[in-house]
């Protein structure tokens, strides 16, 4: 088995393909949606340039009828109940008294004592018969500490008992604050960040001010997206601005753990600008008919007549098919779809390549903040931002710079050095299993040769990513499953101990990634050797040979010790004598019952039997016997 360097990858092939005239294809999911309203929005956007066509090739002429038809096929699923809205009619009062009572309740807990981290909002408006109407919104979903939090134990179930318990605590807090509830309205629920925003907007109707109290904060980071986290102190905001409430709902909803249904996906199929529009549309139709057979879908083309822009298809696909099976696409599905769409385009005579964005020689991706910075500052923006935006606007491919390659090489030198040192230490450790020692020795030599080759390329001014990889042979002698297990455990244990001693997080991450790749290579190589040993044993049994292993070398004795086999060959005669004596004692049976006389006769009879036959020439009678 051989380990090839990372120079052999699909990115090189696709880059050469595009350089020879082929263009990249884009297949990606823009969004998921649920419900009739979302379907209407996608279908309306889809048909802004041309009428859409469904899976049967019929033109979508009546938007309302099409939405009703799609809605009948949905499973009427609803999202999780994340926001509880309670509405009370109070005796005439002001918002200051209500705010103090609810603040005291939030410090104590809405559902139970100590449940004091929940976000809530309230508004006070004029009620019926001169009374005061209180609208209270409480998040009953689990609010995460940050986006990496995966717990859900702080969620309140949206059942009748929990709603009554929350209502009782709110009623008691209001009465303790000198407020008297006169009546209450039925409880309402909403789902997700959008449901929270809709609830806040409903509380803000007729110009009422909404007070939001939360522990969710956002940390602004220049040049990066904001970091959402839950702090220990609350922040309060009182406003009647519709847009500000929407922004706050988005911030709070970022840490809200919610479960939303998916009824359809909005898919995008894009091609190069210089492609024939008619052929591109036919290729997309063929792909959709083959890939989403049994699913309902509708598609429409954009930029058919604008030859300077990229033509693309907007497709809406129902996730549940006619067999009641739900489509749940992942990154592997997207890769497969890209390949199949590219094949359909090639069948239509379109030179299109099935590649990912990260693999093609295209302009660099530009983030939103970089666009905004360039729009505000223009040429005075940082040089790297200007270069990325200009490359994107001009569709100029970018290649790795030599200076950046040197920096990456210097950064990886320490991590690669640690990996090589780890392998060399295992190779020199006489207490380690022999299989692990041999494999570590081969891997360390291969890594050193590859690293020196790339280092020479950088030193001589060549791009290391364009260097052709070499192959380094690893040993392929058969081994047992026990040997493979011992070798894997040795390498894994050593890698964990070395990683624990690395203080720099970035260096530790690079080291862990490198050892993960080495672990995969080791696993494949050892498994192939185990399979070879298994095949050899099968052939040996068919020939009637013994499976026992005998060896006199030090490495061979290590192999036998790893397999748990007692080595029956030794250079220590007293040890052999004691082993033979024990074996005779264990196998003492009917042979011990024979008399000594019979044994002596048998022994004498064995001596009389000639051990070999020698051929001699016949003796002559007249031979001189005196000689």
């Amino acid at each position: 088995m051989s380990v090839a360097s990372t120079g052999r990858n699909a990115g090189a092939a696709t880059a050469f393909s595009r350089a020879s005239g082929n263009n990249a294809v884009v297949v990606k999911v823009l969004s998921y949606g649920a419900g009739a309203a979302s379907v209407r929005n996608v279908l309306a956007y889809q048909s802004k340039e041309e009428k859409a066509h469904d899976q049967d090739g019929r033109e979508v002429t009546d938007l309302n009828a099409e939405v009703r038809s799609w809605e009948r096929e949905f499973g009427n699923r609803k999202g999780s109940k994340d926001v509880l809205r309670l509405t009370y009619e109070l005796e005439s009062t002001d918002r200051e008294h209500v705010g103090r009572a609810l603040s005291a309740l939030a410090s104590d807990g809405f559902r139970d004592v100590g449940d004091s981290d929940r976000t809530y909002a309230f508004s006070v408006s004029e009620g019926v018969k001169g009374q005061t109407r209180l609208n209270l919104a409480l998040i009953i979903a689990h609010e995460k500490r940050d986006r990496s939090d995966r717990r859900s134990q702080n969620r309140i179930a949206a059942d009748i008992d929990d709603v009554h318990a929350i209502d009782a605590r709110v009623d008691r807090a209001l009465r303790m604050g000198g407020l008297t509830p006169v009546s209450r309205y039925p409880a309402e629920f909403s789902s997700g960040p959008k449901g929270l925003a809709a609830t806040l907007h409903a509380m803000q109707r007729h110009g009422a001010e909404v007070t939001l109290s939360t522990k969710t904060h956002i940390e602004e980071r220049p040049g990066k997206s904001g970091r959402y986290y839950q702090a220990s102190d609350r922040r309060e905001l009182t406003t009647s601005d519709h847009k500000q409430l929407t922004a706050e709902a988005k911030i709070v909803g970022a840490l809200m753990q919610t479960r939303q249904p998916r009824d359809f996906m909005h898919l995008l199929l894009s091609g190069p600008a210089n492609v024939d529009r008619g052929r591109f549309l036919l290729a997309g139709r063929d792909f959709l008919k083959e890939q989403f057979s049994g699913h309902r879908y509708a598609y429409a083309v954009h930029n058919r007549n604008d030859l300077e822009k990229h033509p693309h298809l907007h497709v809406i696909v129902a996730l549940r098919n006619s067999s009641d099976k739900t489509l749940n696409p992942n990154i592997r599905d997207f890769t497969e779809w890209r390949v199949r769409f590219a094949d359909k385009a090639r069948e239509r005579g379109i030179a299109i390549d099935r590649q990912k964005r990260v693999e093609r020689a295209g302009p660099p991706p530009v983030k939103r903040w970089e666009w905004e910075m360039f729009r505000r500052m223009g040429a005075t923006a940082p040089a790297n931002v200007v270069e990325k935006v200009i490359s994107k606007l001009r569709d100029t491919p970018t290649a790795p710079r030599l200076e950046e390659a040197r920096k990456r090489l210097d950064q990886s030198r320490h991590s690669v050095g640690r990996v090589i040192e780890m392998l060399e230490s295992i190779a020199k450790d006489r207490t380690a299993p022999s299989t692990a020692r041999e494999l570590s020795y081969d891997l360390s030599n291969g890594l050193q040769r590859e690293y020196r080759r790339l280092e020479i390329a950088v030193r001589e001014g060549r791009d290391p990513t364009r260097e052709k990889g070499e192959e380094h042979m690893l040993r392929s002698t058969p081994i047992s499953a026990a040997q493979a297990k011992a070798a894997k455990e040795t390498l894994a244990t050593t890698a964990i101990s070395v990683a624990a001693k690395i203080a720099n997080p970035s260096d530790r991450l690079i080291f862990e990634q490198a050892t993960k790749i080495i672990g995969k290579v080791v696993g494949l190589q050892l498994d192939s050797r185990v399979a070879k040993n298994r095949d050899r044993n099968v052939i040996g049994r068919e020939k009637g040979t013994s499976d026992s292993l005998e060896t006199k070398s030090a490495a061979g004795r290590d192999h036998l010790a790893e397999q748990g086999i007692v080595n029956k060959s030794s250079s220590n005669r007293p040890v052999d004598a004691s082993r033979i004596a024990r074996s005779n004692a264990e196998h003492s049976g009917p042979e011990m019952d024979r008399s000594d006389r019979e044994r002596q006769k048998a022994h004498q009879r064995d001596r009389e039997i000639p051990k070999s036959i020698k051929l001699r020439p016949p003796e002559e009678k007249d031979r001189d016997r005196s000689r």
Side-chain angles (χ1 to χ4, degrees), residues 223-243:
K224 297 182 181 180
S225 59
R227 185 178 73 90
Y228 298 90
Y229 66 98
Q230 192 177 70
S232 57
D233 55 332
R234 285 185 173 271
R235 63 181 183 88
E236 287 193 357
L237 172 71
T238 301
T239 181
S240 60
D241 185 20
H242 188 89
K243 293 184 179 179

Side-chain angles (χ1 to χ4, degrees), residues 211-479:
T211 300
L212 177 70
S213 177
T214 182
K215 290 188 175 182
T216 301
H217 294 67
I218 179 172
E219 177 186 353
E220 299 292 345
R221 298 183 294 181
K224 297 182 181 180
S225 59
R227 185 178 73 90
Y228 298 90
Y229 66 98
Q230 192 177 70
S232 57
D233 55 332
R234 285 185 173 271
R235 63 181 183 88
E236 287 193 357
L237 172 71
T238 301
T239 181
S240 60
D241 185 20
H242 188 89
K243 293 184 179 179
Q244 192 170 5
L245 289 175
T246 303
E248 289 297 328
K250 183 178 179 181
I251 294 174
V252 175
L255 297 184
M256 183 191 305
Q257 191 179 71
T258 179
R259 294 183 295 272
Q260 298 300 315
R262 288 181 176 180
D263 291 327
F264 65 88
M265 65 177 175
H266 184 186
L267 190 68
L268 177 71
L269 307 178
S270 178
N274 57 350
V275 73
D276 182 87
R277 267 53 174 173
R279 294 182 180 181
F280 178 78
L281 182 59
L282 292 176
R285 185 196 63 183
D286 296 343
F287 164 73
L288 294 174
K289 186 175 181 180
E290 177 182 315
Q291 183 64 48
F292 301 111
S293 176
H295 291 264
R296 181 167 190 170
Y297 61 85
Y299 63 94
V301 64
H302 288 191
N303 296 336
R304 179 194 286 268
N305 300 318
D306 193 345
L307 301 181
E308 295 182 357
K309 295 183 179 180
H310 293 258
H312 53 273
L313 294 178
H314 285 273
V315 189
I316 178 172
V317 183
L319 296 180
R320 184 173 298 178
N321 62 6
S322 57
S323 302
D324 204 29
K325 293 183 178 180
T326 304
L327 187 66
N328 187 21
N330 53 32
I331 189 65
R332 295 182 180 178
D333 296 320
F334 300 150
T335 303
E336 180 183 354
W337 296 350
R338 185 184 302 108
V339 171
R340 293 186 177 181
F341 180 42
D343 292 341
K344 293 298 179 183
R346 288 177 177 272
E347 292 177 3
R348 293 287 180 178
I350 302 175
I352 206 168
D353 200 70
R354 50 190 190 185
Q355 60 187 163
K356 300 179 182 179
R357 177 188 298 174
V358 297
E359 295 175 349
R360 63 178 184 257
V366 181
K367 298 180 180 179
R368 179 178 298 178
W369 67 268
E370 292 175 328
W371 283 108
E372 295 175 353
M373 180 181 292
F374 182 78
R375 189 178 295 111
R376 291 195 314 266
M377 302 178 63
T380 59
N384 60 333
V385 175
V386 174
E387 183 179 2
K388 290 177 67 174
V389 174
I390 295 299
S391 299
K392 188 71 174 180
L393 293 174
R394 296 177 179 176
D395 195 22
T396 305
T398 57
R401 294 190 173 184
L402 184 60
E403 184 63 28
E404 296 179 356
R406 286 197 181 97
K407 291 180 180 178
R408 288 194 299 269
L409 188 66
D410 293 338
Q411 183 180 5
S412 62
R413 179 179 286 111
H414 303 290
S415 300
V416 176
R418 288 191 181 96
V419 175
I420 295 175
E421 290 177 1
M422 178 193 74
L423 295 174
E424 289 180 345
S425 65
I426 297 176
K428 296 178 181 179
D429 186 6
R430 299 301 300 175
T431 61
S434 61
T435 306
R437 297 202 304 268
E438 295 170 354
L439 191 56
S440 300
Y441 178 78
D442 296 341
L443 287 173
S444 64
N445 287 340
L447 283 176
Q448 289 178 11
R449 286 196 293 267
E450 280 297 301
Y451 193 80
R452 283 196 295 268
R453 183 180 60 81
L454 297 177
E455 196 173 22
I456 292 173
V458 173
R459 190 182 305 116
E460 294 179 356
R462 301 193 305 270
D463 187 356
T465 60
R466 298 182 181 273
E467 292 293 312
K468 184 179 180 181
E470 298 179 357
E471 293 184 353
H472 307 285
M473 300 304 297
L474 301 178
R475 309 186 193 200
S476 59
T477 54
I479 59 175

Side-chain angles (χ1 to χ4, degrees), residues 400-623:
R401 294 190 173 184
L402 184 60
E403 184 63 28
E404 296 179 356
R406 286 197 181 97
K407 291 180 180 178
R408 288 194 299 269
L409 188 66
D410 293 338
Q411 183 180 5
S412 62
R413 179 179 286 111
H414 303 290
S415 300
V416 176
R418 288 191 181 96
V419 175
I420 295 175
E421 290 177 1
M422 178 193 74
L423 295 174
E424 289 180 345
S425 65
I426 297 176
K428 296 178 181 179
D429 186 6
R430 299 301 300 175
T431 61
S434 61
T435 306
R437 297 202 304 268
E438 295 170 354
L439 191 56
S440 300
Y441 178 78
D442 296 341
L443 287 173
S444 64
N445 287 340
L447 283 176
Q448 289 178 11
R449 286 196 293 267
E450 280 297 301
Y451 193 80
R452 283 196 295 268
R453 183 180 60 81
L454 297 177
E455 196 173 22
I456 292 173
V458 173
R459 190 182 305 116
E460 294 179 356
R462 301 193 305 270
D463 187 356
T465 60
R466 298 182 181 273
E467 292 293 312
K468 184 179 180 181
E470 298 179 357
E471 293 184 353
H472 307 285
M473 300 304 297
L474 301 178
R475 309 186 193 200
S476 59
T477 54
I479 59 175
S480 66
Q483 291 176 267
K485 181 180 179 182
K488 292 178 183 178
E489 291 178 351
T490 301
L491 289 169
T493 305
T494 307
I496 293 174
S497 62
V498 173
K501 298 177 182 179
I502 302 176
N504 192 340
S506 60
D507 292 344
R508 183 168 59 250
L509 179 60
I510 297 175
F511 177 81
E512 291 174 350
Q513 292 174 348
T515 53
K516 186 182 295 184
I517 297 174
I518 290 177
K520 292 181 180 179
V521 174
V522 168
L524 293 173
Q525 201 264 352
L526 294 177
D527 292 342
S528 66
R529 294 171 66 179
V530 170
K532 184 181 292 187
N533 181 59
R534 191 181 301 113
D535 296 340
R536 188 184 67 172
N537 290 339
V538 172
I539 296 174
R541 282 194 294 271
E542 292 177 354
K543 293 182 178 179
T545 58
S546 173
D547 290 337
S548 61
L549 299 176
E550 296 183 1
T551 180
K552 294 183 180 180
S553 65
R557 286 195 294 271
D558 290 340
H559 283 306
L560 294 177
E562 293 170 13
Q563 297 183 61
I565 299 176
V566 178
N567 188 8
K568 295 184 179 180
S569 63
S570 173
S571 60
N572 193 337
R573 294 192 176 183
V575 173
D576 290 342
S578 61
R579 177 173 56 79
I580 294 172
R582 287 195 303 271
S583 177
N584 292 336
E586 292 174 356
H587 294 83
S588 61
E591 295 181 356
M592 299 298 293
D593 297 337
R594 293 188 301 176
S595 62
D596 295 340
R597 185 180 303 172
E598 292 175 348
R599 291 190 181 185
Q600 291 177 0
K601 288 182 180 181
H603 187 61
Q604 184 176 4
R605 190 164 52 249
D606 292 340
R607 283 187 175 183
E608 293 175 357
I609 298 175
K611 301 300 181 182
S612 62
I613 299 176
K614 297 181 180 180
L615 298 179
R616 297 178 179 177
E619 297 179 356
E620 297 179 0
K621 293 184 178 180
D622 56 349
R623 184 178 178 182

Side-chain angles (χ1 to χ4, degrees), residues 47-185:
S47 306
K48 69 176 185 178
E49 295 186 13
E50 295 185 11
K51 295 292 185 181
H53 292 77
D54 61 9
Q55 69 280 355
D56 297 323
R58 295 189 299 264
E59 188 179 77
V60 178
T61 56
D62 190 348
L63 182 60
N64 294 327
E66 188 72 11
V67 171
R68 288 194 297 269
S69 179
W70 276 79
E71 189 178 13
R72 284 194 296 269
E73 295 191 3
F74 293 157
N76 293 324
R77 296 172 298 150
K78 296 183 179 180
S80 56
K81 296 179 179 180
D82 303 319
V83 182
L84 170 64
R85 180 183 174 187
L86 300 174
T87 306
Y88 300 89
E89 291 287 345
L90 309 177
E91 293 183 352
S92 181
T93 183
D94 54 14
R95 63 180 302 109
E96 285 76 12
H97 287 81
V98 175
R100 285 195 297 267
L102 293 178
S103 178
L105 177 59
S107 300
D108 187 43
F110 280 96
R111 175 61 179 86
D112 299 301
V113 176
D115 184 22
S116 58
D117 294 335
R118 298 196 178 276
T119 299
Y120 71 94
F122 72 92
S123 68
V124 175
S125 59
E126 184 179 355
V128 297
K129 298 180 182 180
Q131 297 173 350
T132 301
R133 178 170 299 174
L134 168 63
N135 288 285
L136 173 64
L138 177 67
I139 294 182
I140 59 177
H142 172 69
E143 295 184 80
K144 299 181 287 188
R145 299 293 180 185
D146 50 42
R147 285 189 165 179
S148 62
D149 187 4
R150 292 295 180 266
R151 298 173 298 172
S152 60
Q153 72 275 10
N154 202 25
R155 170 179 287 273
I156 299 177
D159 52 26
I160 191 65
D161 294 333
D162 288 302
V163 173
H164 284 170
I166 295 173
D167 175 68
R169 292 183 66 85
V170 172
D171 183 274
R172 188 182 307 111
L174 293 174
R175 295 183 183 277
M176 291 179 63
L179 306 174
T180 304
V182 177
S183 62
R184 57 180 54 83
Y185 295 88

